[in-house]
Amino acid sequence: MNRITIFKLYELIGSLKKEEKRSFKLFSKKYRLDNDSGTYLKVFDYLDKQETLDRKKFKQKFQQVKGLSGIQTYLYQQILKSLRNQQAYKNVDVELMEGLIELEILFSKNLLNTALEKLLELQYIAERQQRILILPLIYEWWFKLQNTRFRYDNVEQADLEKYEQKYADIFSITKEYADCRIQLGRIIYSSKLKFSRQLPTLVQEISDCLPVYKPYQQQSVPGEVAALQLRAYLAAVARDTKSAAKYHQYLYDFTKELPPLLFQEYKRIHFTALGGVIVNSTDWKTIVVLLEDYNNISPENQKYITFYVRLSIASTQLKGYLSTGLFKESQEYIKSLPPSSTYPNQTISTFLHYQFALSHYSNKDYDVALKVIDEILNDKQATKPTNYSSLLRIIILYEQEEYILLGSYLNNVRRNFKKKDVLFDFDKKFISLINKLISLPQQEHIGELIRFRAKLLSFLREHSSLQREFLLYFNFLGWLDWQIDKKEFKKLCYWGVDGEEWDEEFREMA
């Protein structure tokens, strides 16, 4: 192991839970090998009590201790060894990897029969648990053991052919799995660099490389899971929520039918898939039914639902209120959510706050809405929803008739969007509309709004669903109707902007 710096050691100790610290101390006392072992625990206790690490003070504290650097490395290793012995960190992969280490030792001591027994034990576990990345090593070991001194004791030709076939097949299975993991990595990496409306080409390139998906036809459970995860993510990035929900549903149903041992391992993916179905479904009635399944997850399975999934589902439920006119209910629901300081993901945190602003806007709490929007816009880590936060701020300032403030703000927004290369067609047209309105007498506004609405409908008719993405954040068409004839404005945003339901609604709007 490379030399462990005091900062790495401090970081590891800081990550330990209370029970893990206790187990480490018991482990240290049980396996104490020399009279100086107490020094390691003193270093551990000192670092454990520090809120922030001061390297200079640490060196002063232990200046009489010889070989402090070696102590740091040894302590780091002992903590990891203690964690490996704890049940929470024991799983099939650890068992197999440790077994392969034992196998190497037995082989090096020329205990070939015992090594073969160990190998067959590992093979049984790996095949039953479909450990497709470890199985090639196991089949390689079978030939390695049998080829040693040309043994092949008690091996029939049928057994030899069986292992030949297994060894050959496992590589096509792992390639099938690896191809999906590589492509998923590519698209996630790309999405970190570009805004989603610049991703269609990248998504299309990856999609074109994929074979036609046939449900449950992959050669392994890991391969099937990886294929579904990739397709669900591609669909989500492409704003094809219908397909994203479909693939998440496939994944949810597939994992549900796994044998008990495998299901136990895929529980987190299983419940995450349920969240994916909920988040991507385009019908509120369907969401309500799925939320019942989600809310009925047993207490012992709650741990498999990540905080990110919980917040994504919370965002979906909030969107349900905002898209059906239940604005007061949205306010009550926001009060039930955990504090934003606990949100683990910047993207979901930013988007949830944008929804909070929408909720305040819908309840005419303009000042509170503006305060939330400003928090988003002042956050340097916030990403794409800042676009829609800026547009919502423009709408609120327009409704408040803050035309002087709005004029300078419009110029700043346009300049900022251009600088970040996120000034899209609709954004450009909407900013120009508001800029024109604030320079005209109030009685001329409705005529301009009517003309803009007609152009917007034409734009929506001619372009793909990716170009209608702005309607998923705010129903600008509904807002225009409200400004023009005070038509009831209950759908604050859309569930989806493609498919038959959208086509039918679009015809009504037109």
Side-chain angles (χ1 to χ4, degrees), residues 111-298:
L111 302 173
L112 303 183
N113 289 331
T114 307
L116 182 58
E117 289 177 7
K118 184 66 182 180
L119 177 65
L120 294 177
E121 175 191 327
L122 297 176
Q123 180 185 322
Y124 173 75
I125 295 170
E127 288 182 342
R128 184 181 58 169
Q129 303 287 79
Q130 295 208 24
R131 284 316 197 255
I132 61 172
L133 299 179
I134 295 178
L135 279 169
L137 288 173
I138 289 174
Y139 298 142
E140 164 67 18
W141 262 108
W142 189 86
F143 283 102
K144 184 175 180 179
L145 286 172
Q146 299 295 359
N147 290 342
T148 302
R149 298 192 203 154
F150 308 102
R151 284 161 40 96
Y152 289 94
D153 299 334
N154 302 317
V155 174
E156 301 290 338
Q157 183 173 348
D159 289 332
L160 176 62
E161 291 174 354
K162 179 180 71 174
Y163 274 95
E164 288 174 348
Q165 192 63 49
K166 282 183 175 183
Y167 201 14
D169 290 345
I170 194 63
F171 288 104
S172 66
I173 292 172
T174 53
K175 185 179 186 306
E176 181 180 73
Y177 170 81
D179 286 345
C180 290
R181 300 302 290 173
I182 289 169
Q183 298 293 11
L184 182 61
R186 280 187 63 205
I187 191 63
I188 292 176
Y189 176 78
S190 299
S191 67
K192 294 295 182 184
L193 300 178
K194 297 178 180 292
F195 289 86
S196 67
R197 280 185 280 181
Q198 294 174 307
L199 281 176
T201 302
L202 292 170
V203 171
Q204 193 62 51
E205 285 177 3
I206 293 175
S207 298
D208 290 344
C209 294
L210 295 175
V212 175
Y213 178 71
K214 297 178 181 179
Y216 317 142
Q217 296 298 310
Q218 307 300 307
Q219 300 180 73
S220 67
V221 170
E224 188 69 47
V225 169
L228 286 168
Q229 287 179 320
L230 171 61
R231 284 164 172 79
Y233 194 83
L234 284 170
V237 172
R239 291 297 182 189
D240 184 357
T241 52
K242 186 176 180 180
S243 292
K246 178 184 70 174
Y247 289 125
H248 280 297
Q249 186 72 59
Y250 279 143
L251 185 54
Y252 180 66
D253 293 338
F254 176 72
T255 50
K256 185 192 298 183
E257 299 302 321
L258 291 176
L261 272 175
L262 277 175
F263 177 72
Q264 190 66 31
E265 291 186 37
Y266 284 95
K267 268 188 177 181
R268 187 177 299 280
I269 289 174
H270 174 74
F271 291 116
T272 300
L274 174 60
V277 182
I278 293 173
V279 170
N280 289 285
S281 291
T282 57
D283 177 63
W284 176 240
K285 293 178 182 178
T286 303
I287 298 291
V288 171
V289 175
L290 292 169
L291 284 172
E292 288 183 13
D293 288 347
Y294 171 76
N295 292 326
N296 287 328
I297 294 173
S298 62

Side-chain angles (χ1 to χ4, degrees), residues 352-364:
L352 264 174
H353 278 80
Y354 171 76
Q355 290 181 308
F356 296 167
L358 267 186
S359 176
H360 294 308
Y361 164 78
S362 67
N363 284 284
K364 308 302 180 186

Side-chain angles (χ1 to χ4, degrees), residues 261-472:
L261 272 175
L262 277 175
F263 177 72
Q264 190 66 31
E265 291 186 37
Y266 284 95
K267 268 188 177 181
R268 187 177 299 280
I269 289 174
H270 174 74
F271 291 116
T272 300
L274 174 60
V277 182
I278 293 173
V279 170
N280 289 285
S281 291
T282 57
D283 177 63
W284 176 240
K285 293 178 182 178
T286 303
I287 298 291
V288 171
V289 175
L290 292 169
L291 284 172
E292 288 183 13
D293 288 347
Y294 171 76
N295 292 326
N296 287 328
I297 294 173
S298 62
E300 64 267 24
N301 287 329
Q302 290 289 332
K303 64 182 178 182
Y304 295 106
I305 307 170
T306 65
F307 199 29
Y308 177 82
V309 171
R310 291 181 194 278
L311 290 177
S312 297
I313 291 175
S315 173
T316 301
Q317 191 155 347
L318 189 53
K319 186 176 181 180
Y321 294 132
L322 295 173
S323 64
T324 53
L326 301 175
F327 302 144
K328 293 295 182 185
E329 288 81 352
S330 72
Q331 292 280 274
E332 292 302 314
Y333 185 67
I334 288 172
K335 294 175 184 176
S336 70
L337 296 177
S340 58
S341 58
T342 62
Y343 296 175
N345 180 280
Q346 182 63 41
T347 301
I348 191 66
S349 174
T350 303
F351 186 62
L352 264 174
H353 278 80
Y354 171 76
Q355 290 181 308
F356 296 167
L358 267 186
S359 176
H360 294 308
Y361 164 78
S362 67
N363 284 284
K364 308 302 180 186
D365 297 330
Y366 288 162
D367 291 340
V368 180
L370 287 173
K371 182 180 177 182
V372 176
I373 290 171
D374 288 342
E375 288 174 358
I376 296 173
L377 297 176
N378 291 329
D379 186 349
K380 293 182 180 179
Q381 293 183 322
T383 52
K384 186 178 62 176
T386 56
N387 278 41
Y388 304 103
S389 298
S390 297
L391 297 182
L392 182 57
R393 194 173 195 277
I394 289 171
I395 285 171
I396 293 173
L397 292 176
Y398 175 76
E399 289 187 25
Q400 290 181 316
E401 298 185 7
E402 295 281 358
Y403 294 164
I404 296 176
L405 177 61
L406 186 54
S408 60
Y409 184 65
L410 288 168
N411 292 330
N412 288 337
V413 170
R414 183 189 285 109
R415 185 163 51 248
N416 190 35
F417 282 15
K418 275 187 177 180
K419 183 179 179 181
K420 294 181 178 179
D421 194 26
V422 292
L423 184 62
F424 303 109
D425 287 344
F426 172 76
D427 305 338
K428 190 186 304 182
K429 290 179 172 63
F430 185 73
I431 291 171
S432 296
L433 168 71
I434 301 298
N435 221 349
K436 187 173 186 180
L437 291 178
I438 62 177
S439 65
L440 293 173
Q442 192 70 38
Q443 62 269 25
E444 296 183 24
H445 285 205
I446 290 180
E448 291 297 331
L449 290 165
I450 291 172
R451 282 187 283 276
F452 180 80
R453 185 184 186 280
K455 291 179 181 178
L456 180 56
L457 283 172
S458 177
F459 173 85
L460 295 173
R461 185 182 293 110
E462 294 171 2
H463 291 81
S464 68
S465 58
L466 279 170
Q467 294 293 338
R468 306 183 203 121
E469 184 185 24
F470 57 88
L471 293 173
L472 298 174

Side-chain angles (χ1 to χ4, degrees), residues 3 95 98 244 397 441 481 489:
R3 185 177 73 85
E95 182 182 354
E98 289 179 347
L397 292 176
D481 288 338
F489 187 30

